[in-house]
Amino acid sequence: MTTIWNSSERFDRSAAQWDENPRRTSLAANIANAIVETAKPRASMQAMEFGCGTGLVTLALAPYLQTITAIDTSEEMLAQLQKKIETLGIRNVHPILADLVHDTVSPLATESLDFICSSMTLHHIADISALLSKLNGLLICGGILAMADLDREDGLFHDDGTEKVHHGFERPELQNMLEDAGFRNVSFRTAYEIKKTNRAGRDATYPIFLVTALKP
C-alpha cells in the first residue's frame, strides 16, 4: 500500500467525531495553556494556527489575540470549527482551507503576522525545512513561533501503521532546523505527556514538547 503525507481525506472522515476523544481534548487544552504561559500572546497580535483541525487550540487562544487565522487542509475539520464559531458568536477566528506547504499563492490577507502556532501538525509535514522557512517569511521581525509536537518516539504512537509521519523529533535537531530557517531564541519545554496503549499493545508514555522561537 502506498503511504502518503498529510491525508486530508483521512481527517475529513474523522472530523465529526474528533472532539469526542477525551485524550485529544485534554492534549489540546494542555498545549494551549503551555502556549499562553510561554509565548504570552497579546490582544494586539495578528496570529495564525496551521493544522488547526476542529479548532480545539485555536478557540482556546482566540481570547488572547486580536485575530487568528485558522488554516487546515481538511474541509470537514474546518466545517466543525465553523459550527463552533457560529454557535459561540466568535468574531476574531477566520478559518481558511489551504495548504501552506504546497500552495504557491499565500491564502492570508496579510503576511505580517505577530504570532504563529501549531499543535501536533509538524510530524505530518514531509519537508520541515521548507515549512519553517515559509513560516519565517510570514512573521514580522519580533514575531513569535510556538509549535507543540512529539519528542522522538518508538514509531508505534500512531494507530495506523501505513500513515506517513515523522516519528517525533530530537529537540537539538529541530533547534538547528529552526535556526537555519532564521529563527533565534529557540526554547523547549515539555507541555504534556500522552499515556496510551500503542500499536504494539504496550502501555507507553509519549512526551509532547512546546518549542518557541523568535524572528529577529
Side-chain angles (χ1 to χ4, degrees):
M1 181 181 295
T2 302
T3 54
I4 58 174
W5 289 86
N6 191 24
S7 170
S8 299
E9 292 78 11
R10 183 177 65 82
F11 286 109
D12 282 342
R13 292 193 299 269
S14 304
Q17 293 79 38
W18 192 259
D19 293 359
E20 296 175 5
N21 185 324
R23 184 190 297 120
R24 190 173 288 138
T25 55
S26 178
L27 170 64
N30 280 274
I31 287 174
N33 287 340
I35 290 173
V36 170
E37 292 171 1
T38 307
K40 297 178 172 54
R42 301 184 301 276
S44 61
M45 287 181 164
Q46 296 188 67
M48 178 188 77
E49 182 185 0
F50 66 94
C52 66
T54 63
L56 292 172
V57 171
T58 315
L59 297 182
L61 296 179
Y64 298 91
L65 298 161
Q66 181 179 357
T67 63
I68 181 165
T69 300
I71 290 180
D72 205 278
T73 61
S74 167
E75 187 172 2
E76 293 303 320
M77 286 284 191
L78 291 177
Q80 295 298 315
L81 172 56
Q82 185 61 43
K83 289 179 185 177
K84 298 178 191 178
I85 291 170
E86 293 171 359
T87 299
L88 297 171
I90 296 170
R91 297 187 177 183
N92 68 333
V93 176
H94 308 293
I96 294 180
L97 181 68
D99 186 335
L100 278 184
V101 177
H102 298 107
D103 288 353
T104 56
V105 178
S106 174
L108 302 173
T110 176
E111 296 191 1
S112 302
L113 296 171
D114 305 286
F115 183 71
I116 295 175
C117 63
S118 75
S119 171
M120 302 298 283
T121 299
L122 198 62
H123 65 268
H124 291 284
I125 305 299
D127 191 340
I128 302 295
S129 294
L131 173 67
L132 295 180
S133 294
K134 185 168 286 191
L135 296 179
N136 185 276
L138 295 174
L139 284 166
I140 64 168
C141 292
I144 298 168
L145 177 67
M147 302 185 297
D149 217 295
L150 288 155
D151 279 301
R152 181 73 72 189
E153 48 103 350
D154 54 14
L156 299 172
F157 174 81
H158 288 85
D159 296 332
D160 182 357
T162 68
E163 188 176 4
K164 186 68 173 175
V165 293
H166 298 284
H167 298 305
F169 301 91
E170 297 286 355
R171 298 186 187 192
E173 181 182 0
L174 183 55
Q175 177 168 348
N176 288 339
M177 295 174 76
L178 284 159
E179 291 173 349
D180 287 346
F183 290 97
R184 297 295 179 264
N185 297 359
V186 179
S187 179
F188 287 83
R189 63 172 282 189
T190 298
Y192 191 59
E193 291 184 339
I194 297 176
K195 300 181 187 299
K196 64 174 290 186
T197 302
N198 65 23
R199 198 169 69 251
R202 296 192 294 268
D203 291 338
T205 299
Y206 296 95
I208 306 298
F209 65 78
L210 174 68
V211 58
T212 54
L214 183 75
K215 177 177 177 177

